[in-house]
């Protein structure tokens, strides 16, 4: 019974008890409130088999290494070395045969006009030295036309391609510039910003990022190349990344476990939707030179399955953000008002989720539009209709990728919010939740029913604004509460 139902209960102990309760609530807004032992067992019963299945999947599908193949010399499948531009001199483009005019002299075509323009002006004649590999120290000449998008300058680091079957003077050519230094500096600035702002959480996030890259490069990519089912590899690899990243960044707690469950359900939904619509839209996954080269080198790879694997892996990063945010919102709302039931918790947290949905969906669409801007520009130049553009496989593939991922993200908000509201409302913290069996914070245990409270000098309320000392015993002695 409460103190209002037992007016003769000693109010000294009652005030101390109430103070301890208030003190406990004041400090309950930590990173993650402990939950009952029963609830931990329920969550563990779901997550431990899942984590075990992921570990077994990693062992079974783990690749022995990337299969060797004979280089084709096409695209990225070329042997490359590092080089350095030793010197650059300006020469007349006519003297170095920079452009070949068609034998017919026809300049009405784009190719003919381009060839004529290439013979005009001053070209750059660069001497490049190979700095790595068995031909280290070897030099060759590279001609750069004046309208080329990439110009060379002295002491510039470059990437050179090696073609062993070509004539000796043409075996090496410049394919790209060396960007390792600016990329390394930028990565260092990023890591520093994450650590300075995020502190220990930032350090753990960087560790999780490194672990994700290791899973991607050591497991997912080699396993797909070896011929394993891309969808199965993506599910196992994404699950491993999810478990590592979430628990490293947010700690081993019930709140993180609920976010893991929400992410898992959303990934399954994305996989089912992606598989259905990729098949219905007849998407082959072989839409450009790179995918064509992959299919030519490894015909056993299922390219449509590779497309679906990319959708799942690409959606995982944003899913983590949404599910963790929604779970944290539910937990904080419950700690702010422990009397809220699951329905009120869900309604309050889903309002936060709706704002998140609007921003995330817009982010995905704009991210695709920014990445595909040159392609969209080509369609605009060709004056193609919206229907024609959307129907082409190259664009339809990205539309399916974006929409399937967005549906999974939208669905993750109510799924995760509902799971979190049910879990936190069903929790009944007890001794297993980290409390002292004798009472939170070391307070004395509650009075057993039927026992007389200990005597103390407490004031018994007699009326509004009036108190009088309680009389104990027959001696007439009175004690005033301190």
């Amino acid at each position: 019974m409460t103190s209002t139902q037992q007016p003769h209960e000693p109010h000294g102990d009652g005030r101390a008890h109430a103070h301890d309760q208030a003190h406990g609530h004041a400090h309950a807004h930590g990173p993650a409130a402990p939950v009952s032992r029963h609830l931990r067992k329920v969550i563990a019963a779901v997550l431990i088999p899942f984590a075990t299945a992921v570990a077994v999947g990693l062992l079974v599908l783990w690749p022995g290494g990337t299969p060797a193949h004979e280089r084709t010399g096409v695209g990225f499948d070329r042997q490359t070395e590092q080089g350095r531009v030793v010197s650059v001199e300006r020469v007349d483009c006519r003297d170095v045969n920079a452009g070949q005019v068609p034998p017919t002299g026809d300049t009405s075509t784009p190719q003919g006009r381009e060839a004529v323009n290439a013979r005009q002006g001053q070209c750059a004649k660069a001497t490049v030295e190979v700095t790595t590999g068995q031909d280290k120290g070897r030099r060759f000449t590279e001609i750069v036309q004046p309208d080329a998008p990439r110009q060379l300058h002295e002491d510039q680091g470059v990437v050179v391609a090696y073609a062993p079957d070509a004539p000796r003077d043409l075996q090496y050519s410049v394919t790209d510039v060396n960007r390792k230094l600016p990329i390394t500096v930028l990565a260092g600035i990023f890591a520093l910003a994450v650590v300075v702002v995020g502190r220990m959480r930032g350090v753990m996030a960087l560790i999780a990022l490194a672990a994700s890259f290791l899973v991607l490069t050591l497991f997912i990519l080699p396993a797909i190349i070896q011929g394993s089912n891309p969808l199965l590899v993506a599910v196992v690899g994404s699950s491993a990344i999810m478990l590592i990243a979430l628990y490293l960044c947010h700690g081993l707690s019930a709140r993180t476990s609920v976010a893991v469950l929400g992410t898992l359900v959303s990934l399954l939904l994305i996989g089912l939707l992606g598989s259905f619509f990729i098949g219905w839209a007849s998407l082959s996954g072989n839409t450009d030179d790179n995918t064509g080269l992959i299919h030519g080198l490894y015909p056993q790879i299922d390219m449509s399955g590779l497309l679906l694997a990319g959708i799942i892996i690409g959606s995982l990063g944003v899913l983590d953000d949404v599910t963790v945010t929604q779970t944290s919102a539910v937990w904080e709302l419950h700690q702010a008002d422990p009397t809220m039931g699951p329905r009120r918790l869900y309604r309050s947290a889903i309002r936060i989720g709706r704002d998140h949905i609007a921003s995330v969906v817009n982010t995905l669409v704009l991210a695709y539009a920014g990445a595909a801007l040159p392609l969209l520009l080509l369609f605009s130049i060709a004056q193609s209709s919206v229907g024609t553009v959307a129907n082409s496989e190259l664009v339809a593939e990205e539309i399916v990728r974006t929409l399937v991922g967005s549906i999974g993200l939208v669905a993750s908000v109510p799924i995760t919010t509902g799971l979190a509201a049910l879990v936190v409302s069903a929790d009944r913290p007890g001794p297993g939740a980290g409390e002292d069996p004798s009472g939170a914070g070391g307070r004395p245990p509650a009075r057993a029913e039927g026992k007389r409270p200990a005597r103390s000098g407490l004031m018994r309320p007699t009326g509004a604004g009036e108190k009088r000392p309680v009389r104990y015993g027959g001696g007439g002695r009175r004690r005033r509460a301190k």
Side-chain angles (χ1 to χ4, degrees):
M1 297 179 67
T2 62
S3 58
T4 56
Q5 292 169 315
Q6 285 188 347
H8 294 284
E9 184 175 350
H11 288 274
D13 290 345
R15 281 202 306 267
H17 183 74
H19 173 73
D20 285 342
Q21 282 186 326
H23 186 73
H25 284 303
H27 290 272
H29 300 279
V35 296
S36 64
R37 181 177 300 172
H38 173 72
L39 186 56
R40 290 203 302 268
K41 288 181 179 179
V42 172
I43 295 175
V46 177
L47 288 180
I48 289 179
F50 168 65
T52 303
V54 172
V56 172
L58 288 173
L59 292 175
V60 172
L61 297 173
W62 192 266
T66 303
H69 73 280
E70 186 178 352
R71 291 186 179 274
T72 62
V74 178
F76 288 101
D77 191 38
R78 291 181 289 182
Q79 180 180 342
T80 58
E81 301 290 349
Q82 299 298 312
R84 181 179 64 88
V85 179
V86 177
S87 63
V88 178
E89 59 176 315
R90 296 292 173 182
V91 296
D92 195 317
C93 290
R94 294 178 180 271
D95 297 336
V96 292
N97 295 322
Q100 298 295 327
V101 179
T104 59
D106 184 13
T107 57
S108 61
T109 63
Q111 294 84 355
R113 289 192 297 270
E114 183 179 349
V116 170
N117 294 333
R119 293 176 60 89
Q120 299 174 354
Q122 295 288 310
C123 290
K125 183 179 180 181
T127 301
V128 182
E129 180 181 356
V130 181
T131 58
T132 61
Q134 60 181 4
D135 289 332
K136 182 179 180 180
R138 180 176 169 180
R139 296 188 177 188
F140 64 94
T141 300
E142 182 82 9
I143 303 299
V144 183
Q145 297 178 5
D147 59 346
R150 182 181 63 244
Q151 297 294 321
L152 301 179
H153 56 81
E154 194 171 332
D155 291 330
Q156 183 180 23
V158 293
V159 178
V160 298
Y162 176 63
D165 297 333
R168 179 174 174 80
D169 293 341
L170 302 176
Q171 285 182 334
Y172 282 96
S173 61
V174 176
T175 60
D176 211 339
V177 299
N178 191 331
R179 303 180 179 89
K180 291 182 180 179
L181 181 59
I183 290 177
T184 302
V185 172
L186 182 60
I189 295 174
F190 163 73
L192 182 62
V194 170
V195 172
V196 169
V197 177
R199 298 187 179 180
M200 195 59 196
R201 286 289 181 91
V203 173
M204 300 308 293
L206 292 177
I207 295 174
L209 180 62
S212 299
F213 274 110
L214 288 177
V215 173
L216 183 65
T217 56
L218 297 181
F219 172 70
I220 295 178
L221 298 180
I224 292 176
I225 292 175
Q226 270 198 344
S228 299
N229 186 293
L231 176 58
L232 184 59
V233 171
V235 169
V236 173
S238 299
S239 299
I241 291 174
M242 174 184 64
L243 291 172
I244 294 171
L246 287 179
Y247 283 117
L248 268 180
C249 294
H250 306 285
L252 190 64
S253 65
R255 185 165 67 182
T256 307
S257 299
V258 172
V260 168
L261 291 175
T263 305
L264 175 62
V265 174
S266 303
L267 280 178
L268 291 176
L269 177 61
I270 289 174
L272 293 174
L273 286 174
S275 179
F276 176 75
F277 281 99
I278 286 175
W280 191 11
S282 300
L283 298 177
S284 65
N286 190 357
T287 54
D288 56 24
D289 294 339
N290 294 327
T291 54
L293 179 59
I294 293 172
H295 183 66
L297 292 174
Y298 299 99
Q300 73 275 13
I301 294 180
D302 179 10
M303 300 305 295
S304 60
L306 186 63
L307 172 60
L308 180 56
I311 294 175
I312 293 174
I313 295 173
S315 303
L316 179 61
V318 189
L319 268 179
D320 289 351
D321 174 41
V322 173
T323 55
V324 169
T325 300
Q326 286 305 114
T327 306
S328 297
V330 172
W331 242 262
E332 293 300 324
L333 286 169
H334 176 71
Q335 288 182 261
D337 186 1
T339 63
M340 294 177 68
R343 182 171 297 181
R344 284 185 59 199
L345 276 173
Y346 179 83
R347 289 177 177 174
S348 299
I350 202 66
R351 286 194 290 268
I352 302 173
R354 291 190 184 106
D355 292 336
H356 209 173
I357 287 173
S359 61
V360 166
V361 170
N362 198 40
T363 300
L364 286 177
V365 174
L366 291 180
Y368 164 68
L373 200 57
L375 176 63
L376 297 177
L377 187 60
L378 284 176
F379 280 112
S380 178
I381 293 173
Q383 297 182 351
S384 301
S385 64
V386 175
T388 302
V389 172
N391 188 68
S392 65
E393 184 172 1
L394 191 59
V395 176
E397 180 180 296
E398 298 301 330
I399 292 175
V400 170
R401 185 197 309 272
T402 302
L403 294 182
V404 167
S406 298
I407 292 172
L409 290 174
V410 171
S412 70
V413 173
I415 290 172
T416 308
T417 305
L419 284 174
L422 290 174
V423 168
V424 79
S425 299
D427 184 32
R428 295 292 183 268
E435 297 178 2
D436 189 333
S438 63
R443 59 176 181 263
R447 177 176 63 85
E449 187 175 355
K451 293 185 178 180
R452 181 177 178 180
R455 293 181 177 181
S456 60
L458 291 173
M459 305 296 291
R460 179 182 300 163
T462 58
E466 180 183 356
K467 293 183 180 180
R468 69 184 183 191
V470 182
R471 184 186 301 274
Y472 292 103
R477 182 170 56 90
R478 294 183 179 181
R479 296 179 183 175
R480 187 172 301 272
K482 294 182 181 180

